[in-house]
Amino acid sequence: MATSDTNTTPKAPEYPEQVTGMDILVRALRMVGIDTMYGLVGIPVTELAYLAQDRGIRFVGFRHEQQAGMAAATHGYLTKTPGVLLTVSSLGFLNGLTATANATVNCYPMIQISGSSVREPIDLQQGTYEGLDQLAMAKPLVKAAYRVNKPEDIPTAVVRAYRAAISGRPGGVYLDVTTPCLGAIMQGADADKLFYQPVDLCPAMPPAPEAVKRAAELLAGAKKPAFLFGKGAAYAQVEDKLKALVERTGIPYYPMSMAKGILPDNGPLSALSCRSTIMEEADVVVLVGARLNWLLSRGHGKWSDTVKFIQLDIDPEEIDINRPIAAPVVGDLASSLDALMAALPAKMNMDPTWVPTLQAQTKEKNTKFAQRLAANADAMPMNHWTALGAIKPVMAANPDVILVNEGANTLDDTRDTLDMTLPRHRIDCATWAIMGMGMGSCVGAAVATGKSVVAIEGDSAFGFSGMDFSTICRFKLPVTVVIFNNGGIYNGIGVNMAGNGDPAPTTLDIHARYDKLGEAFGAKTYYVTTPAELSQALTEAIASKAPALIDVQLGADSGKESGHIGYLNPAALEKITV
């Protein structure tokens, strides 16, 4: 009688469980706590994005790698953990590298991961598919750059990239992963041995006691001191320590653009309206996470010749780059502020007229500014001040909304008009003044925080990134984009001096209907021509917590041109001024 095979012991699988380099990369990212990835897929990283999404990493796909990178950089700035950008090779890598370089300059922790072609034909310049030496291109522009050729090295590479991105002065890191590495196969049991839990990825770096003592003595003896906050202080999330220090010392503070809201812009010790007075009269200025770069006239310009600087910074190479720093305090800001607070004497030596003088100037300048807004309240067609006058009370009523802001006049005028009361609620083009960060930063801010976002964009600035408004819509993010359309770069009244019928270099389209773009992607849209319409539209859009686009029609003559460098040659400027 034949024996039944129903009870036969099943055969062992012919091959043990296997994993690819892509599996290992996703697991390594999870190992260090990465839960979000921004990018744009294609050869050789499409499958990697699918795997990341399947295994708990949210993948936010964009239309352009630069915007995905801006989102990753914004994510890093707001969370103190690296935002991750995934790109394809060659031009996709280069598009993303713009954002990674910008993150490095602005000290945002970010990791760009790009697939790259097979090494040998690249090294021999034999014309392989997208055969660019990406590592060589990235190295001069980022904080650190690594190439991974073997799947066994992926976990180590990810940990090194993470440490480099967040430790010391944060920045952008490039991770080049070759196609053979992504596609390589390992036995699952062997891959398991590669993973570990990294320890103390961003250790504290306390300052030297003698440096703290020197700074405390200088500050305590100052007659007209001031704190100057930079976005490094906002990134470090030390607002509670700064609040305690300001309240204890009674010293006024001036925030740089992205530091607005660390302490309230309208607080009693805010000197936001007194920049010139601080530069001309302060005898001791404490730079807290701020750099004496072009944004502060590199320490020259209107600054007093006798002012002494105390600089709190984590990077010793930042000391003395433009002006001598009398009291450098090198260390992480949290440790440095704690140490400075402990070292200060109970009584300061500040001139009793210093703060009242700044407060009186603040009151006077704020009154004049309110008068400017009031004088333009009914201007038709609207100008920047008309529109901002309508926006100001709506934003004040929604203080937890994150503001993204870029443009020329739109950037400057919005910064001056809208007070911030919470830290890390203003994101703009920062140190490089780079246009084209708008939609990416909106996505990064909304995804990283879950908060509502309002972007106030010039029409020119919006053009750099406008297609990625579709990303806001696809992911149903609570983002309202407000576009100030004055028909041009600076304004829409440029004149073509050749008279050949072409638009002037600064002219765009005063009749453009940006709201139609919003309609194309299913957003709630508004076209507004009056302040009342703008106020109502913005109020509704924020309350909806859904994608919205508000096209604000300004006059073509709203805004002033600022693109000349004629101060280098006044005679040349006179010839081209029209």
Side-chain angles (χ1 to χ4, degrees):
M1 183 176 178
T3 303
S4 170
D5 62 354
T6 57
N7 296 321
T8 304
T9 302
K11 292 182 179 180
E14 186 172 355
Y15 300 104
E17 180 184 359
Q18 295 177 322
V19 295
T20 66
M22 288 178 283
D23 292 294
I24 295 170
L25 179 52
V26 170
R27 186 172 169 185
L29 291 170
R30 294 289 291 162
M31 179 180 74
V32 294
I34 298 299
D35 59 9
T36 305
M37 181 185 293
Y38 304 89
L40 200 159
V41 300
I43 298 171
V45 297
T46 303
E47 187 178 350
L48 173 61
Y50 273 110
L51 284 170
Q53 193 176 59
D54 178 62
R55 295 173 189 178
I57 296 179
R58 187 180 189 187
F59 184 82
V60 183
F62 278 73
R63 296 296 190 98
H64 196 282
E65 293 90 351
Q66 179 177 303
Q67 292 310 303
M70 295 298 182
T74 300
H75 186 115
Y77 169 70
L78 293 174
T79 66
K80 296 182 70 175
T81 60
V84 174
L85 166 66
L86 179 68
T87 80
V88 301
S89 49
S90 190
L91 290 180
F93 150 78
L94 287 173
N95 288 339
L97 186 61
T98 302
T100 311
N102 188 56
T104 302
V105 168
N106 282 289
C107 310
Y108 306 147
M110 174 183 167
I111 300 172
Q112 177 178 348
I113 301 173
S114 296
S116 64
S117 296
V118 179
R119 288 301 317 151
E120 291 80 2
I122 291 178
D123 292 340
L124 284 172
Q125 299 180 18
Q126 293 176 317
T128 188
Y129 175 74
E130 296 190 344
L132 180 69
D133 192 345
Q134 296 169 194
L135 185 70
M137 295 288 289
K139 273 186 174 181
L141 300 175
V142 299
K143 183 180 179 185
Y146 309 103
R147 174 177 290 134
V148 192
N149 294 298
K150 301 185 300 180
E152 294 89 341
D153 293 332
I154 289 174
T156 297
V158 167
V159 171
R160 290 191 68 188
Y162 193 107
R163 285 189 186 277
I166 66 171
S167 62
R169 171 162 284 184
V173 177
Y174 175 60
L175 198 58
D176 188 272
V177 189
T178 64
T179 298
C181 179
L182 290 169
I185 295 174
M186 284 189 68
Q187 306 304 325
D190 292 333
D192 287 343
K193 300 174 184 176
L194 302 175
F195 297 95
Y196 61 99
Q197 190 58 51
V199 176
D200 207 4
L201 286 165
C202 188
M205 298 177 63
E210 59 272 22
V212 175
K213 182 175 182 292
R214 182 189 306 117
E217 290 175 351
L218 179 59
L219 184 59
K223 295 292 187 181
K224 295 183 176 182
F227 290 115
L228 198 153
F229 303 153
K231 68 177 177 295
Y235 169 80
Q237 301 183 13
V238 291
E239 51 270 13
D240 289 346
K241 298 179 186 299
L242 287 172
K243 181 175 185 290
L245 185 59
V246 167
E247 289 178 347
R248 175 175 163 184
T249 62
I251 294 174
Y253 58 88
Y254 180 92
M256 299 299 290
S257 181
M258 283 181 60
K260 284 165 64 70
I262 288 179
L263 297 182
D265 288 354
N266 56 6
L269 289 173
S270 172
L272 187 58
S273 301
C274 304
R275 175 187 174 108
S276 295
T277 302
I278 289 174
M279 293 177 78
E280 293 169 358
E281 297 187 22
D283 58 351
V284 174
V285 173
V286 186
L287 303 169
V288 185
R291 297 180 283 195
L292 278 177
N293 57 16
W294 70 274
L295 291 165
L296 290 170
S297 303
R298 294 184 294 112
H300 304 291
K302 292 183 178 181
W303 287 101
S304 163
D305 290 337
T306 58
V307 64
K308 294 182 178 180
F309 292 101
I310 299 169
Q311 185 168 4
L312 277 59
D313 201 289
I314 200 166
D315 185 359
E317 293 185 9
E318 193 61 37
I319 308 301
D320 294 333
I321 64 169
N322 277 306
R323 283 282 292 263
I325 302 300
V329 180
V330 177
D332 69 274
L333 283 185
S335 299
S336 295
L337 289 169
D338 284 342
L340 182 60
M341 177 74 94
L344 284 172
K347 183 174 175 58
M348 306 296 289
N349 197 38
M350 188 163 51
D351 182 338
T353 68
W354 176 231
V355 170
T357 297
L358 295 177
Q359 290 173 333
Q361 288 186 12
T362 295
K363 183 177 180 180
E364 179 184 357
K365 291 184 178 182
N366 287 351
T367 298
K368 289 182 179 179
F369 195 84
Q371 291 170 346
R372 172 189 284 181
L373 292 179
N376 287 277
D378 299 318
M380 291 298 295
M382 289 191 290
N383 58 41
H384 288 79
W385 302 116
T386 316
L388 288 167
I391 289 172
K392 184 177 175 69
V394 180
M395 293 298 287
N398 295 274
D400 201 31
V401 169
I402 293 174
L403 173 66
V404 172
N405 186 206
E406 64 172 337
N409 294 277
T410 302
L411 172 72
D412 295 339
D413 296 346
T414 301
R415 181 183 60 238
D416 290 342
T417 304
L418 300 187
D419 287 333
M420 308 305 295
T421 57
L422 295 172
R424 294 172 297 282
H425 277 63
R426 178 183 169 82
I427 300 165
D428 60 33
C429 43
T431 299
W432 266 357
I434 185 171
M435 295 296 109
M437 42 67 69
M439 297 305 98
S441 289
C442 285
V443 174
V447 170
T449 69
K451 294 184 177 183
S452 294
V453 178
V454 168
I456 301 180
E457 301 267 314
D459 54 336
S460 172
F462 178 74
F464 284 88
S465 65
M467 196 63 183
D468 266 304
F469 182 71
S470 66
T471 303
I472 292 168
C473 295
R474 275 185 293 121
F475 284 86
K476 299 179 173 58
L477 299 174
V479 175
T480 299
V481 176
V482 181
I483 302 169
F484 283 6
N485 182 16
N486 65 351
I489 303 170
Y490 309 121
N491 58 46
I493 58 173
V495 176
N496 179 341
M497 292 183 288
N500 60 13
D502 286 345
T506 56
T507 299
L508 297 174
D509 186 358
I510 192 65
H511 302 296
R513 289 292 299 270
Y514 295 102
D515 56 312
K516 301 299 183 183
L517 177 65
E519 285 182 13
F521 297 119
K524 178 67 175 175
T525 61
Y526 306 83
Y527 174 71
V528 301
T529 60
T530 69
E533 291 173 347
L534 174 53
S535 176
Q536 181 178 348
L538 183 57
T539 300
E540 290 179 2
I542 293 173
S544 75
K545 296 188 179 296
L549 189 149
I550 304 174
D551 185 349
V552 182
Q553 185 64 64
L554 303 184
D557 60 348
S558 179
K560 60 184 179 180
E561 189 167 332
S562 61
H564 295 309
I565 55 171
Y567 65 89
L568 299 176
N569 187 340
L573 174 62
E574 184 176 349
K575 290 179 182 178
I576 67 172
T577 300
V578 295

